[in-house]
């Protein structure tokens, strides 16, 4: 007899099927965009029937949200909690995240393409992407404000503007790296982070 609860095997198969669908969707969106990708292409790549795909994700919008959920779980830049005080490690977090890009370049590319496709749109995906950007700005700005309170970041720095600058650097480097995968992105990020700490920090490492 095999162990496990009744239905456990079916649940595991369903999870594996959804993961194949999401990986296939990520692959195609990174290369052709959501608009240039059909559910039939995704189903074929995932090894499922189109009705089987629709059983899990009955609209392309639901599938895009699921793809972004998967990306949010795997690719996080600023992982500290709401009460944490990372200080100037904000910049180190960027370097570490950039170093993970080669592990799943399709996910990096998929997100960049969706941002570009939805930049001037007004739909649920564009709203989600804008909300995620604003949440990132707020999280980094709060960390920088606390760094000022702790005396490790210069007081004349505007935390929100600097947070926007940090995200702009990440997004720009991401686009450049996707266009040229031989670019030493992590080395570039590390140099940038050192310059930021030296220029903005107070005490060891800062001016």
């Amino acid at each position: 007899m095999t162990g496990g609860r009744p239905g456990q095997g079916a649940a595991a198969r369903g999870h594996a099927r959804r993961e194949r669908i999401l990986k296939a969707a990520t692959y195609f969106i990174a290369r052709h965009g959501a608009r240039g990708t059909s559910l039939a292409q995704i189903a074929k790549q995932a090894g499922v029937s189109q009705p089987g795909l629709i059983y899990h994700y009955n609209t392309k919008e639901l599938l895009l949200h699921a793809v972004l959920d998967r990306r949010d779980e795997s690719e996080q830049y600023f992982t500290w909690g709401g009460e944490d005080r990372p200080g100037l490690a904000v910049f180190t977090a960027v370097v570490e995240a950039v170093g993970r890009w080669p592990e799943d370049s399709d996910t990096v590319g998929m997100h960049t393409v969706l941002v570009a496709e939805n930049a001037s749109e007004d739909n649920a995906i564009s709203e989600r992407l804008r909300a995620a950007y604003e949440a990132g700005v707020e999280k980094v700005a709060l960390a920088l404000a606390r760094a000022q309170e702790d005396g490790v970041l210069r007081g004349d720095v505007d935390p929100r503007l600097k947070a926007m600058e940090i995200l702009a650097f990440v997004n720009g480097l991401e686009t450049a790296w996707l266009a040229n995968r031989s670019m030493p992105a992590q080395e570039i990020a590390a140099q940038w982070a050192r310059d930021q700490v030296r220029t903005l920090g107070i005490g060891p490492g800062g001016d």
Side-chain angles (χ1 to χ4, degrees):
M1 294 178 62
T2 58
R5 294 188 299 273
Q8 197 170 42
R13 289 191 297 274
H15 175 79
R17 189 180 304 114
R18 287 190 296 273
E19 180 63 16
R20 292 200 309 274
I21 291 169
L22 296 180
K23 286 185 69 173
T26 299
Y27 173 88
F28 280 110
I29 294 168
R31 287 159 179 80
H32 309 298
R35 296 169 190 163
T37 297
S38 68
L39 295 181
Q41 286 175 306
I42 295 169
K44 182 177 180 180
Q45 177 85 352
V48 302
S49 65
Q50 194 165 340
L53 185 154
I54 292 171
Y55 172 80
H56 294 289
Y57 308 105
N58 60 13
T59 68
K60 184 179 278 189
E61 183 178 299
L62 283 177
L63 179 58
L64 292 178
H65 279 296
V67 165
L68 287 170
D69 287 342
R70 182 174 178 269
R71 181 258 181 190
D72 291 345
E73 292 171 3
S74 64
E75 187 185 330
Q76 295 190 17
Y77 289 89
F78 310 113
T79 57
W80 58 84
E83 300 303 317
D84 292 339
R85 306 177 84 90
L88 298 182
V90 166
F91 301 105
T92 305
V94 170
V95 179
E96 292 172 349
V98 170
R100 293 192 294 271
W101 286 351
E103 297 173 10
D104 194 357
S105 59
D106 283 349
T107 296
V108 178
M110 172 275 300
H111 182 259
T112 299
V113 169
L114 285 182
V115 169
E117 279 190 335
N118 291 276
S120 60
E121 297 295 322
D122 186 15
N123 55 42
I125 298 299
S126 62
E127 289 176 9
R128 173 180 177 149
L129 293 169
R130 283 193 290 269
Y133 169 78
E134 285 297 330
V137 169
E138 292 302 322
K139 187 170 188 178
V140 175
L142 178 59
L144 295 175
R146 287 175 173 168
Q148 288 176 323
E149 294 172 358
D150 295 339
V152 297
L153 179 67
R154 278 182 9 212
D156 62 342
V157 175
D158 184 309
R160 182 171 174 79
L161 291 180
K162 178 55 67 173
M164 291 179 177
E165 179 189 316
I166 291 170
L167 267 65
F169 169 79
V170 172
N171 292 336
L173 182 61
E174 186 173 86
T175 301
W177 178 77
L178 287 167
N180 178 12
R181 304 295 174 87
S182 65
M183 174 185 289
Q186 190 171 28
E187 293 178 31
I188 294 169
Q191 179 63 62
W192 167 83
R194 288 191 294 269
D195 291 344
Q196 293 290 310
V197 171
R198 184 173 62 250
T199 303
L200 303 174
I202 297 173
D207 290 342

